[in-house]
Amino acid sequence: MTSYEAAGVDIEAGERAVALMKDKVARSRRPEVVDDASGFAGLFDASALLKYERPLLATSTDGVGTKVMIAQRYGKHDTIGIDLVGMVLDDLVVCGAEPLFMTDYIACGKVVPERVAEIVGGVAEGCRLAGAALVGGETAEHPGAMEPDEYDLAGAGTGVVEASAMLGPERVREGDVVLGLASSGVHSNGYSLVRHVVREAGLSLEAELPELGRPLGEELLEPTRIYSLDCLALARTVEVHAYAHITGGGVEGNLSRSLPGHLDALLDRSSWTPPAIFSVLAGHGRVEQKDMDRTFNLGVGMAAIVAPEAADEAVRLLTERGLPAWVLGEVVPGSGQARYR
């Protein structure tokens, strides 16, 4: 005789994981969330959209890439879910959309209830920081396809923006100011290169490098900064024309996506000092500047393009909200490229 459990799937462990995560998920609840007694679907009261003249729904999906491998090696799982939210919901805010809700998906070799609850707790905390609700998710056990301690996670989010208020390249004008909004570190991109550097340089995740002041693993697992509420507050207060979420492709690659074809963003590399982790990676890995530029955010997690008269007020508002910001560059005639002076 055989059974599902003998094949490696523990149904009771999955049920225990759900019970452990319930309180954490509840902290991300919004008033528009409606309970579905069956638990098969997440429900959101769409009448909340009636205040819009022409509501546009925005959606995004993503994962956190191989950063999960650092979390697994270091044994820290409570913040990787925040990274997932940053990758998904902060893409929505680029067009001016308010994140409403999110779902997640975890695949693992073996369901360890406490570990799953930590991961989902991070997702719920990220949703809380973004002002969104975590309305559902799925945990799948894949014995044989993944090792017992392996897992991966992905998610999808939905937001809404008034059509007339949508941000983007068509709003950008010559003379606009580009602001840099500080990252919290590496965020969730470039970890294949990070892991390559760590491996080839023989670095230990437990090592306390003098440049960092804490173990390397802690630095690499610093969660992605969540920008949603700050960006929405800024757009309500000053004239914002566009945002760019700085993920894979770096500052130049992502900011170029938010420019019209006849304008460039001319950036000043001397306007900020990248966090120490980037010089650590470049030095130990002998990574050239061009590769650093196109792989990492280098300390700029989000860029905002604002009207020139709004720049000072924008920097002041963001700073008051605890988000370091500065003038990164300006918009000039060109061919739709972000570039350094």
Side-chain angles (χ1 to χ4, degrees):
M1 297 292 288
T2 190
S3 66
Y4 209 12
E5 186 172 3
V9 177
D10 189 339
I11 295 175
E12 289 184 0
E15 293 172 346
R16 198 158 62 250
V18 171
L20 288 173
M21 69 179 72
K22 276 188 175 180
D23 289 344
K24 297 176 181 179
V25 172
R27 291 200 289 269
S28 73
R29 189 179 180 92
R30 286 176 53 128
E32 300 94 339
V33 173
V34 178
D35 292 320
D36 169 27
S38 73
F40 281 98
L43 301 178
F44 192 89
D45 186 354
S47 67
L49 307 183
L50 295 178
K51 64 181 180 181
Y52 294 88
E53 292 184 8
R54 186 188 172 201
L56 301 180
L57 292 178
T59 185
S60 174
T61 186
D62 209 339
V64 294
T66 61
K67 187 171 184 175
V68 296
M69 299 175 71
I70 301 292
Q72 290 157 22
R73 281 184 54 191
Y74 198 66
K76 179 176 172 58
H77 314 287
D78 59 337
T79 59
I80 198 74
I82 298 177
D83 293 295
L84 178 64
V85 174
M87 292 301 95
V88 173
L89 297 187
D90 280 340
D91 274 0
L92 298 180
V93 80
V94 168
C95 70
E98 174 192 356
L100 298 175
F101 57 84
M102 183 171 170
T103 57
D104 63 23
Y105 175 81
I106 302 171
C108 57
K110 179 179 176 59
V111 170
V112 178
E114 293 76 14
R115 182 171 62 204
V116 171
E118 284 188 60
I119 297 168
V120 176
V123 180
E125 174 61 12
C127 285
R128 187 190 67 80
L129 293 171
L134 179 59
V135 297
E138 175 71 11
T139 301
E141 202 166 24
H142 292 172
M146 306 175 78
E147 294 297 319
D149 289 333
E150 289 182 344
Y151 62 82
D152 197 10
L153 68 158
T158 298
V160 62
V161 59
E162 182 68 71
S164 62
M166 190 170 67
L167 306 177
E170 65 283 353
R171 289 180 177 260
V172 177
R173 301 288 182 265
E174 181 181 348
D176 281 354
V177 174
V178 182
L179 302 181
L181 281 57
S183 73
S184 56
V186 183
H187 284 185
S188 299
N189 301 101
Y191 274 82
S192 292
L193 179 55
V194 168
R195 292 185 301 105
H196 178 78
V197 169
V198 170
R199 181 176 62 252
E200 294 300 310
L203 297 173
S204 167
L205 296 181
E206 287 73 28
E208 293 201 23
L209 302 182
E211 303 96 321
L212 303 178
R214 59 175 172 171
L216 177 60
E218 293 283 343
E219 182 70 33
L220 293 177
L221 290 174
E222 179 68 30
T224 301
R225 175 169 261 143
I226 306 294
Y227 296 95
S228 298
L229 293 182
D230 295 313
C231 288
L232 292 172
L234 185 65
R236 287 193 299 266
T237 307
V238 304
E239 187 178 341
V240 176
H241 291 162
Y243 286 116
H245 191 195
I246 311 304
T247 54
V251 177
E252 293 167 293
N254 286 283
L255 186 53
S256 295
R257 298 165 61 181
S258 295
L259 296 170
H262 64 288
L263 295 175
D264 282 0
L266 192 59
L267 310 176
D268 182 1
R269 196 187 291 274
S270 68
S271 65
W272 88 102
T273 301
I277 183 58
F278 296 109
S279 60
V280 167
L281 293 170
H284 282 277
R286 293 179 293 178
V287 185
E288 295 184 6
Q289 187 64 53
K290 65 178 182 179
D291 289 310
M292 295 296 293
D293 285 345
R294 66 188 181 189
T295 305
F296 300 115
N297 66 63
L298 297 182
V300 184
M302 183 78 77
I305 302 176
V306 303
E309 64 273 13
D312 289 344
E313 176 68 7
V315 170
R316 183 194 64 78
L317 184 146
L318 292 170
T319 301
E320 287 181 352
R321 293 179 64 90
L323 174 54
W326 66 95
V327 174
L328 176 61
E330 61 179 332
V331 176
V332 299
S335 58
Q337 301 297 313
R339 52 190 172 87
Y340 292 107
R341 297 181 189 276

PDB file of all heavy atoms in Angstrom, residues 274-307:
ATOM      1  N   PRO A 274      26.747  55.252  -3.461  1.00  0.00           N
ATOM      2  CA  PRO A 274      26.088  53.953  -3.339  1.00  0.00           C
ATOM      3  C   PRO A 274      26.405  53.291  -2.002  1.00  0.00           C
ATOM      4  O   PRO A 274      27.495  53.488  -1.448  1.00  0.00           O
ATOM      5  CB  PRO A 274      26.677  53.142  -4.508  1.00  0.00           C
ATOM      6  CG  PRO A 274      27.121  54.175  -5.495  1.00  0.00           C
ATOM      7  CD  PRO A 274      27.598  55.327  -4.662  1.00  0.00           C
ATOM      8  N   PRO A 275      25.468  52.521  -1.438  1.00  0.00           N
ATOM      9  CA  PRO A 275      25.744  51.787  -0.196  1.00  0.00           C
ATOM     10  C   PRO A 275      26.975  50.896  -0.335  1.00  0.00           C
ATOM     11  O   PRO A 275      27.325  50.445  -1.430  1.00  0.00           O
ATOM     12  CB  PRO A 275      24.474  50.952  -0.003  1.00  0.00           C
ATOM     13  CG  PRO A 275      23.405  51.728  -0.710  1.00  0.00           C
ATOM     14  CD  PRO A 275      24.081  52.339  -1.901  1.00  0.00           C
ATOM     15  N   ALA A 276      27.617  50.620   0.790  1.00  0.00           N
ATOM     16  CA  ALA A 276      28.894  49.912   0.798  1.00  0.00           C
ATOM     17  C   ALA A 276      28.825  48.523   0.174  1.00  0.00           C
ATOM     18  O   ALA A 276      29.826  48.029  -0.366  1.00  0.00           O
ATOM     19  CB  ALA A 276      29.412  49.808   2.226  1.00  0.00           C
ATOM     20  N   ILE A 277      27.671  47.868   0.222  1.00  0.00           N
ATOM     21  CA  ILE A 277      27.561  46.516  -0.308  1.00  0.00           C
ATOM     22  C   ILE A 277      27.952  46.463  -1.782  1.00  0.00           C
ATOM     23  O   ILE A 277      28.513  45.462  -2.258  1.00  0.00           O
ATOM     24  CB  ILE A 277      26.130  45.949  -0.104  1.00  0.00           C
ATOM     25  CG1 ILE A 277      26.032  44.497  -0.590  1.00  0.00           C
ATOM     26  CG2 ILE A 277      25.091  46.830  -0.766  1.00  0.00           C
ATOM     27  CD1 ILE A 277      26.972  43.527   0.065  1.00  0.00           C
ATOM     28  N   PHE A 278      27.721  47.534  -2.509  1.00  0.00           N
ATOM     29  CA  PHE A 278      28.029  47.516  -3.937  1.00  0.00           C
ATOM     30  C   PHE A 278      29.536  47.586  -4.197  1.00  0.00           C
ATOM     31  O   PHE A 278      30.044  46.920  -5.103  1.00  0.00           O
ATOM     32  CB  PHE A 278      27.284  48.643  -4.654  1.00  0.00           C
ATOM     33  CG  PHE A 278      25.794  48.484  -4.589  1.00  0.00           C
ATOM     34  CD1 PHE A 278      25.017  49.312  -3.807  1.00  0.00           C
ATOM     35  CD2 PHE A 278      25.162  47.470  -5.296  1.00  0.00           C
ATOM     36  CE1 PHE A 278      23.648  49.162  -3.732  1.00  0.00           C
ATOM     37  CE2 PHE A 278      23.782  47.296  -5.236  1.00  0.00           C
ATOM     38  CZ  PHE A 278      23.032  48.147  -4.447  1.00  0.00           C
ATOM     39  N   SER A 279      30.251  48.366  -3.401  1.00  0.00           N
ATOM     40  CA  SER A 279      31.715  48.381  -3.540  1.00  0.00           C
ATOM     41  C   SER A 279      32.308  47.058  -3.072  1.00  0.00           C
ATOM     42  O   SER A 279      33.324  46.599  -3.611  1.00  0.00           O
ATOM     43  CB  SER A 279      32.321  49.551  -2.757  1.00  0.00           C
ATOM     44  OG  SER A 279      32.028  49.460  -1.375  1.00  0.00           O
ATOM     45  N   VAL A 280      31.688  46.421  -2.087  1.00  0.00           N
ATOM     46  CA  VAL A 280      32.137  45.101  -1.643  1.00  0.00           C
ATOM     47  C   VAL A 280      32.013  44.093  -2.781  1.00  0.00           C
ATOM     48  O   VAL A 280      32.949  43.334  -3.079  1.00  0.00           O
ATOM     49  CB  VAL A 280      31.327  44.632  -0.415  1.00  0.00           C
ATOM     50  CG1 VAL A 280      31.556  43.146  -0.145  1.00  0.00           C
ATOM     51  CG2 VAL A 280      31.698  45.450   0.815  1.00  0.00           C
ATOM     52  N   LEU A 281      30.861  44.078  -3.440  1.00  0.00           N
ATOM     53  CA  LEU A 281      30.646  43.145  -4.543  1.00  0.00           C
ATOM     54  C   LEU A 281      31.582  43.444  -5.713  1.00  0.00           C
ATOM     55  O   LEU A 281      32.171  42.527  -6.306  1.00  0.00           O
ATOM     56  CB  LEU A 281      29.195  43.204  -5.008  1.00  0.00           C
ATOM     57  CG  LEU A 281      28.153  42.684  -4.009  1.00  0.00           C
ATOM     58  CD1 LEU A 281      26.741  43.022  -4.478  1.00  0.00           C
ATOM     59  CD2 LEU A 281      28.293  41.191  -3.795  1.00  0.00           C
ATOM     60  N   ALA A 282      31.725  44.722  -6.053  1.00  0.00           N
ATOM     61  CA  ALA A 282      32.592  45.091  -7.175  1.00  0.00           C
ATOM     62  C   ALA A 282      34.043  44.741  -6.880  1.00  0.00           C
ATOM     63  O   ALA A 282      34.760  44.241  -7.762  1.00  0.00           O
ATOM     64  CB  ALA A 282      32.457  46.583  -7.468  1.00  0.00           C
ATOM     65  N   GLY A 283      34.474  45.000  -5.654  1.00  0.00           N
ATOM     66  CA  GLY A 283      35.866  44.740  -5.298  1.00  0.00           C
ATOM     67  C   GLY A 283      36.199  43.268  -5.223  1.00  0.00           C
ATOM     68  O   GLY A 283      37.164  42.800  -5.847  1.00  0.00           O
ATOM     69  N   HIS A 284      35.402  42.506  -4.474  1.00  0.00           N
ATOM     70  CA  HIS A 284      35.683  41.075  -4.313  1.00  0.00           C
ATOM     71  C   HIS A 284      35.456  40.309  -5.621  1.00  0.00           C
ATOM     72  O   HIS A 284      36.106  39.286  -5.858  1.00  0.00           O
ATOM     73  CB  HIS A 284      34.811  40.488  -3.209  1.00  0.00           C
ATOM     74  CG  HIS A 284      35.297  40.813  -1.835  1.00  0.00           C
ATOM     75  ND1 HIS A 284      36.295  40.104  -1.197  1.00  0.00           N
ATOM     76  CD2 HIS A 284      34.928  41.785  -0.963  1.00  0.00           C
ATOM     77  CE1 HIS A 284      36.516  40.603   0.000  1.00  0.00           C
ATOM     78  NE2 HIS A 284      35.697  41.635   0.170  1.00  0.00           N
ATOM     79  N   GLY A 285      34.538  40.800  -6.457  1.00  0.00           N
ATOM     80  CA  GLY A 285      34.245  40.103  -7.697  1.00  0.00           C
ATOM     81  C   GLY A 285      34.947  40.668  -8.909  1.00  0.00           C
ATOM     82  O   GLY A 285      34.812  40.127 -10.004  1.00  0.00           O
ATOM     83  N   ARG A 286      35.689  41.762  -8.708  1.00  0.00           N
ATOM     84  CA  ARG A 286      36.343  42.452  -9.822  1.00  0.00           C
ATOM     85  C   ARG A 286      35.334  42.699 -10.958  1.00  0.00           C
ATOM     86  O   ARG A 286      35.577  42.398 -12.124  1.00  0.00           O
ATOM     87  CB  ARG A 286      37.556  41.659 -10.322  1.00  0.00           C
ATOM     88  CG  ARG A 286      38.692  41.594  -9.299  1.00  0.00           C
ATOM     89  CD  ARG A 286      39.865  40.780  -9.799  1.00  0.00           C
ATOM     90  NE  ARG A 286      39.502  39.361  -9.932  1.00  0.00           N
ATOM     91  CZ  ARG A 286      40.322  38.419 -10.392  1.00  0.00           C
ATOM     92  NH1 ARG A 286      41.543  38.738 -10.769  1.00  0.00           N
ATOM     93  NH2 ARG A 286      39.917  37.172 -10.471  1.00  0.00           N
ATOM     94  N   VAL A 287      34.207  43.237 -10.562  1.00  0.00           N
ATOM     95  CA  VAL A 287      33.120  43.517 -11.506  1.00  0.00           C
ATOM     96  C   VAL A 287      33.311  44.920 -12.072  1.00  0.00           C
ATOM     97  O   VAL A 287      33.468  45.886 -11.322  1.00  0.00           O
ATOM     98  CB  VAL A 287      31.742  43.413 -10.827  1.00  0.00           C
ATOM     99  CG1 VAL A 287      30.630  43.595 -11.851  1.00  0.00           C
ATOM    100  CG2 VAL A 287      31.598  42.072 -10.115  1.00  0.00           C
ATOM    101  N   GLU A 288      33.310  45.054 -13.389  1.00  0.00           N
ATOM    102  CA  GLU A 288      33.485  46.348 -14.028  1.00  0.00           C
ATOM    103  C   GLU A 288      32.272  47.243 -13.793  1.00  0.00           C
ATOM    104  O   GLU A 288      31.159  46.773 -13.599  1.00  0.00           O
ATOM    105  CB  GLU A 288      33.715  46.164 -15.528  1.00  0.00           C
ATOM    106  CG  GLU A 288      35.020  45.441 -15.860  1.00  0.00           C
ATOM    107  CD  GLU A 288      35.248  45.374 -17.352  1.00  0.00           C
ATOM    108  OE1 GLU A 288      34.454  45.982 -18.122  1.00  0.00           O
ATOM    109  OE2 GLU A 288      36.223  44.716 -17.763  1.00  0.00           O
ATOM    110  N   GLN A 289      32.518  48.556 -13.845  1.00  0.00           N
ATOM    111  CA  GLN A 289      31.454  49.519 -13.583  1.00  0.00           C
ATOM    112  C   GLN A 289      30.269  49.331 -14.513  1.00  0.00           C
ATOM    113  O   GLN A 289      29.118  49.433 -14.098  1.00  0.00           O
ATOM    114  CB  GLN A 289      31.991  50.951 -13.702  1.00  0.00           C
ATOM    115  CG  GLN A 289      30.994  52.032 -13.284  1.00  0.00           C
ATOM    116  CD  GLN A 289      30.634  51.935 -11.815  1.00  0.00           C
ATOM    117  OE1 GLN A 289      31.504  51.907 -10.959  1.00  0.00           O
ATOM    118  NE2 GLN A 289      29.341  51.895 -11.510  1.00  0.00           N
ATOM    119  N   LYS A 290      30.522  49.034 -15.792  1.00  0.00           N
ATOM    120  CA  LYS A 290      29.416  48.877 -16.740  1.00  0.00           C
ATOM    121  C   LYS A 290      28.510  47.716 -16.346  1.00  0.00           C
ATOM    122  O   LYS A 290      27.287  47.762 -16.547  1.00  0.00           O
ATOM    123  CB  LYS A 290      29.941  48.683 -18.159  1.00  0.00           C
ATOM    124  CG  LYS A 290      30.730  47.407 -18.384  1.00  0.00           C
ATOM    125  CD  LYS A 290      31.164  47.277 -19.841  1.00  0.00           C
ATOM    126  CE  LYS A 290      31.919  45.972 -20.060  1.00  0.00           C
ATOM    127  NZ  LYS A 290      32.336  45.825 -21.490  1.00  0.00           N
ATOM    128  N   ASP A 291      29.110  46.654 -15.775  1.00  0.00           N
ATOM    129  CA  ASP A 291      28.303  45.521 -15.332  1.00  0.00           C
ATOM    130  C   ASP A 291      27.562  45.839 -14.043  1.00  0.00           C
ATOM    131  O   ASP A 291      26.435  45.377 -13.839  1.00  0.00           O
ATOM    132  CB  ASP A 291      29.184  44.283 -15.154  1.00  0.00           C
ATOM    133  CG  ASP A 291      29.654  43.715 -16.482  1.00  0.00           C
ATOM    134  OD1 ASP A 291      28.802  43.510 -17.368  1.00  0.00           O
ATOM    135  OD2 ASP A 291      30.859  43.502 -16.638  1.00  0.00           O
ATOM    136  N   MET A 292      28.192  46.610 -13.154  1.00  0.00           N
ATOM    137  CA  MET A 292      27.493  47.057 -11.949  1.00  0.00           C
ATOM    138  C   MET A 292      26.296  47.915 -12.341  1.00  0.00           C
ATOM    139  O   MET A 292      25.198  47.760 -11.799  1.00  0.00           O
ATOM    140  CB  MET A 292      28.441  47.855 -11.050  1.00  0.00           C
ATOM    141  CG  MET A 292      29.598  47.066 -10.465  1.00  0.00           C
ATOM    142  SD  MET A 292      29.093  45.751  -9.328  1.00  0.00           S
ATOM    143  CE  MET A 292      28.425  46.703  -7.953  1.00  0.00           C
ATOM    144  N   ASP A 293      26.490  48.802 -13.305  1.00  0.00           N
ATOM    145  CA  ASP A 293      25.436  49.728 -13.722  1.00  0.00           C
ATOM    146  C   ASP A 293      24.226  49.007 -14.290  1.00  0.00           C
ATOM    147  O   ASP A 293      23.083  49.409 -14.042  1.00  0.00           O
ATOM    148  CB  ASP A 293      25.973  50.707 -14.779  1.00  0.00           C
ATOM    149  CG  ASP A 293      26.878  51.774 -14.199  1.00  0.00           C
ATOM    150  OD1 ASP A 293      26.878  51.961 -12.967  1.00  0.00           O
ATOM    151  OD2 ASP A 293      27.587  52.433 -14.981  1.00  0.00           O
ATOM    152  N   ARG A 294      24.447  47.964 -15.059  1.00  0.00           N
ATOM    153  CA  ARG A 294      23.321  47.325 -15.733  1.00  0.00           C
ATOM    154  C   ARG A 294      22.732  46.150 -14.958  1.00  0.00           C
ATOM    155  O   ARG A 294      21.778  45.527 -15.420  1.00  0.00           O
ATOM    156  CB  ARG A 294      23.729  46.874 -17.137  1.00  0.00           C
ATOM    157  CG  ARG A 294      24.770  45.789 -17.193  1.00  0.00           C
ATOM    158  CD  ARG A 294      25.234  45.565 -18.622  1.00  0.00           C
ATOM    159  NE  ARG A 294      26.231  44.505 -18.719  1.00  0.00           N
ATOM    160  CZ  ARG A 294      26.910  44.233 -19.829  1.00  0.00           C
ATOM    161  NH1 ARG A 294      26.686  44.957 -20.918  1.00  0.00           N
ATOM    162  NH2 ARG A 294      27.796  43.267 -19.849  1.00  0.00           N
ATOM    163  N   THR A 295      23.326  45.859 -13.790  1.00  0.00           N
ATOM    164  CA  THR A 295      22.843  44.740 -12.976  1.00  0.00           C
ATOM    165  C   THR A 295      22.126  45.199 -11.713  1.00  0.00           C
ATOM    166  O   THR A 295      21.091  44.640 -11.349  1.00  0.00           O
ATOM    167  CB  THR A 295      24.018  43.818 -12.575  1.00  0.00           C
ATOM    168  OG1 THR A 295      24.707  43.386 -13.752  1.00  0.00           O
ATOM    169  CG2 THR A 295      23.524  42.610 -11.798  1.00  0.00           C
ATOM    170  N   PHE A 296      22.663  46.227 -11.042  1.00  0.00           N
ATOM    171  CA  PHE A 296      22.185  46.612  -9.708  1.00  0.00           C
ATOM    172  C   PHE A 296      21.566  48.006  -9.704  1.00  0.00           C
ATOM    173  O   PHE A 296      21.794  48.815 -10.602  1.00  0.00           O
ATOM    174  CB  PHE A 296      23.347  46.571  -8.714  1.00  0.00           C
ATOM    175  CG  PHE A 296      23.987  45.219  -8.575  1.00  0.00           C
ATOM    176  CD1 PHE A 296      25.305  45.018  -8.967  1.00  0.00           C
ATOM    177  CD2 PHE A 296      23.271  44.146  -8.063  1.00  0.00           C
ATOM    178  CE1 PHE A 296      25.901  43.772  -8.834  1.00  0.00           C
ATOM    179  CE2 PHE A 296      23.856  42.894  -7.931  1.00  0.00           C
ATOM    180  CZ  PHE A 296      25.189  42.710  -8.318  1.00  0.00           C
ATOM    181  N   ASN A 297      20.819  48.283  -8.619  1.00  0.00           N
ATOM    182  CA  ASN A 297      20.241  49.624  -8.467  1.00  0.00           C
ATOM    183  C   ASN A 297      21.252  50.633  -7.954  1.00  0.00           C
ATOM    184  O   ASN A 297      21.046  51.837  -8.062  1.00  0.00           O
ATOM    185  CB  ASN A 297      18.998  49.588  -7.564  1.00  0.00           C
ATOM    186  CG  ASN A 297      19.332  49.222  -6.124  1.00  0.00           C
ATOM    187  OD1 ASN A 297      20.045  49.933  -5.419  1.00  0.00           O
ATOM    188  ND2 ASN A 297      18.789  48.104  -5.652  1.00  0.00           N
ATOM    189  N   LEU A 298      22.350  50.161  -7.346  1.00  0.00           N
ATOM    190  CA  LEU A 298      23.453  51.013  -6.867  1.00  0.00           C
ATOM    191  C   LEU A 298      22.996  52.091  -5.887  1.00  0.00           C
ATOM    192  O   LEU A 298      23.620  53.149  -5.772  1.00  0.00           O
ATOM    193  CB  LEU A 298      24.205  51.641  -8.036  1.00  0.00           C
ATOM    194  CG  LEU A 298      24.920  50.656  -8.982  1.00  0.00           C
ATOM    195  CD1 LEU A 298      25.670  51.405 -10.071  1.00  0.00           C
ATOM    196  CD2 LEU A 298      25.864  49.746  -8.215  1.00  0.00           C
ATOM    197  N   GLY A 299      21.900  51.833  -5.190  1.00  0.00           N
ATOM    198  CA  GLY A 299      21.436  52.780  -4.186  1.00  0.00           C
ATOM    199  C   GLY A 299      20.253  53.615  -4.607  1.00  0.00           C
ATOM    200  O   GLY A 299      19.733  54.408  -3.818  1.00  0.00           O
ATOM    201  N   VAL A 300      19.802  53.466  -5.869  1.00  0.00           N
ATOM    202  CA  VAL A 300      18.633  54.193  -6.368  1.00  0.00           C
ATOM    203  C   VAL A 300      17.534  53.169  -6.637  1.00  0.00           C
ATOM    204  O   VAL A 300      17.542  52.482  -7.647  1.00  0.00           O
ATOM    205  CB  VAL A 300      18.951  54.970  -7.665  1.00  0.00           C
ATOM    206  CG1 VAL A 300      17.737  55.799  -8.091  1.00  0.00           C
ATOM    207  CG2 VAL A 300      20.173  55.849  -7.486  1.00  0.00           C
ATOM    208  N   GLY A 301      16.582  53.061  -5.721  1.00  0.00           N
ATOM    209  CA  GLY A 301      15.550  52.042  -5.859  1.00  0.00           C
ATOM    210  C   GLY A 301      14.357  52.466  -6.684  1.00  0.00           C
ATOM    211  O   GLY A 301      13.650  51.639  -7.249  1.00  0.00           O
ATOM    212  N   MET A 302      14.128  53.767  -6.757  1.00  0.00           N
ATOM    213  CA  MET A 302      13.026  54.333  -7.542  1.00  0.00           C
ATOM    214  C   MET A 302      13.485  55.707  -8.011  1.00  0.00           C
ATOM    215  O   MET A 302      14.235  56.397  -7.302  1.00  0.00           O
ATOM    216  CB  MET A 302      11.761  54.452  -6.694  1.00  0.00           C
ATOM    217  CG  MET A 302      10.528  54.958  -7.429  1.00  0.00           C
ATOM    218  SD  MET A 302       9.706  53.709  -8.461  1.00  0.00           S
ATOM    219  CE  MET A 302       8.837  52.719  -7.234  1.00  0.00           C
ATOM    220  N   ALA A 303      13.074  56.088  -9.195  1.00  0.00           N
ATOM    221  CA  ALA A 303      13.334  57.436  -9.688  1.00  0.00           C
ATOM    222  C   ALA A 303      12.006  58.121  -9.958  1.00  0.00           C
ATOM    223  O   ALA A 303      11.044  57.479 -10.388  1.00  0.00           O
ATOM    224  CB  ALA A 303      14.179  57.404 -10.954  1.00  0.00           C
ATOM    225  N   ALA A 304      11.962  59.413  -9.681  1.00  0.00           N
ATOM    226  CA  ALA A 304      10.764  60.212  -9.950  1.00  0.00           C
ATOM    227  C   ALA A 304      11.134  61.338 -10.892  1.00  0.00           C
ATOM    228  O   ALA A 304      12.177  61.980 -10.710  1.00  0.00           O
ATOM    229  CB  ALA A 304      10.191  60.773  -8.649  1.00  0.00           C
ATOM    230  N   ILE A 305      10.316  61.573 -11.886  1.00  0.00           N
ATOM    231  CA  ILE A 305      10.506  62.697 -12.794  1.00  0.00           C
ATOM    232  C   ILE A 305       9.422  63.716 -12.477  1.00  0.00           C
ATOM    233  O   ILE A 305       8.223  63.421 -12.589  1.00  0.00           O
ATOM    234  CB  ILE A 305      10.415  62.260 -14.263  1.00  0.00           C
ATOM    235  CG1 ILE A 305      11.463  61.182 -14.561  1.00  0.00           C
ATOM    236  CG2 ILE A 305      10.608  63.459 -15.187  1.00  0.00           C
ATOM    237  CD1 ILE A 305      11.389  60.621 -15.973  1.00  0.00           C
ATOM    238  N   VAL A 306       9.845  64.891 -12.036  1.00  0.00           N
ATOM    239  CA  VAL A 306       8.899  65.897 -11.556  1.00  0.00           C
ATOM    240  C   VAL A 306       9.104  67.209 -12.301  1.00  0.00           C
ATOM    241  O   VAL A 306      10.163  67.455 -12.898  1.00  0.00           O
ATOM    242  CB  VAL A 306       9.055  66.131 -10.033  1.00  0.00           C
ATOM    243  CG1 VAL A 306       8.882  64.825  -9.270  1.00  0.00           C
ATOM    244  CG2 VAL A 306      10.411  66.755  -9.707  1.00  0.00           C
ATOM    245  N   ALA A 307       8.077  68.055 -12.260  1.00  0.00           N
ATOM    246  CA  ALA A 307       8.203  69.396 -12.826  1.00  0.00           C
ATOM    247  C   ALA A 307       9.312  70.143 -12.087  1.00  0.00           C
ATOM    248  O   ALA A 307       9.493  69.954 -10.880  1.00  0.00           O
ATOM    249  CB  ALA A 307       6.876  70.138 -12.703  1.00  0.00           C
TER     250      ALA A 307
END
